[in-house]
Amino acid sequence: MRYAYAVTGALLLGGATATVALQQPLGAQVAQNAPSQMASMAPRGAPMSFADLTAKLQPAVVNISTTQRVQLPQQQNPFAGTPFDEFFRRFGGGGQTNENGQPVTREATSLGSGFVISADGYIVTNNHVISGGPANGRAKVTVSAITVTLADRKEYTARVVGRDPVSDLAVLKIDATNLPFVQFGDSTRARVGDWVLAIGNPFALGGTVTAGIVSAIHRNIGQGGAYDRYIQTDAAINQGNSGGPMFDLNGNVIGINTAIYSPSGGNVGIGFAIPAEQARPVVQQLMKGQRVRRGYLGVVIQPMTDDIAASLKLPKDRGEIVARIEPGQPAARAGVQQGDVILRVNNQEITSENTLSFIVAGLPVGARVPIELFRQGQRQTVTAVLTERPPEEQLAVNDGGEDNDLPDDSSGQPAPQTLRSSLGLSLQTLTPQITQQLQLQPGTRGVVVTNVDPSSDAGSKGLQPRDVILSISQRPVTTVAEAVQAVDAAKKGGLKTVLLLVQRGSGPARYIGVDLASGK
């Protein structure tokens, strides 16, 4: 997928109500989309026009622009220490530093959308709309000013009240009173086929209204993590719509437009919005100046793909398999083990739409959570006490590792023909020399892949020479002979797919299901 903007997921905290308005004093201004205001203009079925609805809602939608300072990366000077050093620094550095050697900066702008949620100027948008960060992964970007433009063209300088990169939400504040504002509705009532309106600032054209339907709910768009769960719509959403509201026909905000699927960069009728049920509690915490706290279990999980499910004789699309346990975290203390399949958490079934990360992140820190899991053919339940989810940068996993050739090692034993025909792999026992060569953790035990049949299922699943197989069918393998025994046992057990735990370089181990028939 290509996205118009970077995007994360969002957090579900607590239940949802049909309509949630901010506390207002008696006699205060009424929300533009309050039920009393919308009763006479809420069309049913296929409306003849959205004009009345738009006229009521559009004044609460704003354009957001940021002024950014982009610090260009410094180029390495290949002439350092030579007579050409000064010449390169002044003229050959591509303008990255000035004549005094200071970094060169450029000014840039970005555009997005948002909506007013209180008469005194609180505004919701996407975090990525108002954030700095790397530009093209290299230059440093700093936001120096945020400008909010209302529908009547009035401009205000905004300050950031709070931001939450994990859910991609931010709350701004402008110094104004008696502003038209809107309120969140109940996105849990949205159904596929319902009409929706999107209002925003695509391509800096100003207030633009598009209409469509809810195309899907609880849509996973491959971002991973706890918040990959969106409302999908065919209402036209383009660059600049990010942070703008998605309205239902009652005029309530049921989503925040955040991302698009687009091979070309333009609208193709597939847009995504953060559901209001997930956004509302985050926004409420940010408005209070609070840091958003989320539950944390301390596991790295993988979805139950067809091949993994087949290797464990479990239904597909139910549960997630534990690829790694973080030492000292709630899962480890509760007795969860690598290779366990977690089926239910807090009495909620784990599915592709209701992932373990999503459920846990929505639970309070300190909650005692029952976890139903599948281990070695048996179901059992353990209880974990959740801690607070660490910052995302602390959770980043190094997937790298050097791509070195294997050294020749006479102590290794090539895999016999029976194993090559079953898995399409040639294996060698992992030795301390190979462990060091592959930059693995000392003490890693397994068998290393020396050759992959490209026509095998293992080849199609991406296995490569230098990969290390730590277990087969959840049985640790430290020699080629043990690998053969594990494959033979899987065959005798009637399995057509075996589950491999594969380590590549210094990255995290991952489970891969490989078809036994592929090499025959």
Side-chain angles (χ1 to χ4, degrees):
M1 288 189 177
R2 290 179 53 201
Y3 300 97
Y5 292 99
V7 57
T8 64
L11 170 68
L12 171 61
L13 292 175
T17 57
T19 301
V20 177
L22 297 172
Q23 293 291 332
Q24 299 290 329
L26 292 177
Q29 185 177 346
V30 178
Q32 298 295 102
N33 53 356
S36 61
Q37 300 293 305
M38 306 303 302
S40 62
M41 58 184 67
R44 294 293 181 264
M48 294 296 294
S49 173
F50 294 104
D52 290 340
L53 194 63
T54 299
K56 200 69 180 177
L57 300 173
Q58 197 165 21
V61 181
V62 302
N63 297 337
I64 298 174
S65 62
T66 66
T67 302
Q68 304 174 348
R69 299 297 297 177
V70 181
Q71 180 179 312
L72 303 179
Q74 298 186 34
Q75 293 183 356
Q76 185 177 2
N77 184 354
F79 300 105
T82 73
F84 297 101
D85 185 357
E86 180 66 18
F87 179 84
F88 177 87
R89 190 167 60 84
R90 291 197 176 193
F91 306 107
Q96 312 300 301
T97 57
N98 59 26
E99 61 182 10
N100 297 320
Q102 300 298 317
V104 174
T105 61
R106 298 283 187 266
E107 187 171 283
T109 60
S110 67
L111 296 170
S113 305
F115 55 99
V116 184
I117 58 170
S118 70
D120 59 346
Y122 283 93
I123 294 168
V124 174
T125 186
N126 282 140
N127 179 64
H128 73 258
V129 169
I130 53 95
S131 293
N136 298 324
R138 300 187 304 125
K140 180 181 179 181
V141 181
T142 303
V143 175
S144 57
I146 303 172
T147 301
V148 170
T149 305
L150 304 184
D152 61 5
R153 305 291 184 181
K154 291 182 179 178
E155 292 187 356
Y156 296 86
T157 298
R159 61 182 176 87
V160 178
V161 175
R163 65 174 75 202
D164 182 45
V166 175
S167 61
D168 196 20
L169 292 170
V171 174
L172 309 178
K173 180 70 169 64
I174 60 176
D175 293 328
T177 57
N178 297 321
L179 294 176
F181 65 95
V182 291
Q183 55 198 13
F184 285 113
D186 185 358
S187 58
T188 64
R189 295 188 178 185
R191 299 189 304 163
V192 174
D194 282 349
W195 281 103
V196 289
L197 288 182
I199 305 180
N201 181 36
F203 301 111
L205 291 174
T208 299
V209 182
T210 56
I213 63 170
V214 174
S215 303
I217 58 175
H218 300 165
R219 176 66 79 198
N220 184 306
I221 62 176
Q223 292 294 306
Y227 317 105
D228 191 2
R229 181 165 154 144
Y230 298 88
I231 297 173
Q232 180 182 327
T233 181
D234 66 347
I237 296 175
N238 289 285
Q239 297 183 32
N241 274 111
S242 285
M246 172 189 286
F247 294 103
D248 63 16
L249 290 195
N250 291 317
N252 289 312
V253 179
I254 63 167
I256 301 173
N257 302 317
T258 298
I260 61 173
Y261 168 77
S262 177
S264 63
N267 173 63
V268 294
I270 303 178
F272 304 99
I274 301 171
E277 65 192 275
Q278 301 171 201
R280 183 181 58 251
V282 175
V283 168
Q284 291 173 340
Q285 292 181 73
L286 295 179
M287 288 180 65
K288 297 175 182 177
Q290 298 174 349
R291 178 172 53 86
V292 181
R293 302 180 71 206
R294 300 174 170 90
Y296 181 64
L297 189 58
V299 295
V300 175
I301 48 88
Q302 291 180 241
M304 286 289 287
T305 59
D306 292 352
D307 50 6
I308 293 177
S311 68
L312 297 173
K313 294 185 176 181
L314 289 173
K316 62 180 181 179
D317 298 327
R318 290 292 182 272
E320 292 175 323
I321 190 168
V322 177
R324 191 178 72 216
I325 301 289
E326 298 294 343
Q329 295 301 325
R333 293 196 295 267
V336 179
Q337 299 178 8
Q338 184 182 57
D340 287 347
V341 176
I342 299 180
L343 303 173
R344 298 176 69 89
V345 172
N346 202 36
N347 300 316
Q348 298 184 57
E349 188 175 18
I350 306 297
T351 67
S352 58
E353 295 180 345
N354 200 38
T355 64
L356 181 144
S357 296
F358 179 80
I359 295 172
V360 170
L363 295 173
V365 176
R368 293 181 58 84
V369 179
I371 301 172
E372 182 180 337
L373 52 84
F374 179 89
R375 178 188 299 166
Q376 298 295 334
Q378 302 292 326
R379 291 178 181 246
Q380 54 183 285
T381 300
V382 299
T383 300
V385 179
L386 301 183
T387 56
E388 182 176 352
R389 183 179 179 89
E392 294 305 300
E393 54 269 21
Q394 294 185 22
L395 299 177
V397 177
N398 178 18
D399 290 319
E402 297 297 324
D403 203 20
N404 299 318
D405 291 331
L406 282 175
D408 292 330
D409 185 86
S410 58
S411 64
Q413 178 184 358
Q417 178 63 33
T418 54
L419 189 54
R420 292 198 299 270
S421 65
S422 297
L423 291 179
L425 302 174
S426 294
L427 305 175
Q428 184 174 332
T429 298
L430 189 62
T431 64
Q433 180 184 2
I434 298 176
T435 299
Q436 184 177 12
Q437 182 81 14
L438 298 182
Q439 297 189 346
L440 301 173
Q441 290 292 329
T444 301
R445 306 191 68 186
V447 291
V448 64
V449 177
T450 59
N451 185 268
V452 182
D453 180 355
S455 64
S456 67
D457 189 53
S460 68
K461 297 289 175 57
L463 267 78
Q464 303 173 6
R466 297 178 295 278
D467 286 345
V468 176
I469 298 176
L470 305 176
S471 69
I472 299 177
S473 291
Q474 298 186 322
R475 295 174 53 174
V477 291
T478 59
T479 66
V480 174
E482 290 178 354
V484 173
Q485 293 172 3
V487 171
D488 287 342
K491 289 180 178 180
K492 292 177 182 178
L495 292 176
K496 295 182 179 180
T497 304
V498 292
L499 189 64
L500 309 182
L501 181 59
V502 180
Q503 177 89 30
R504 179 172 295 171
S506 58
R510 289 289 184 267
Y511 283 102
I512 301 175
V514 174
D515 187 355
L516 283 172
S518 60
K520 294 184 178 180

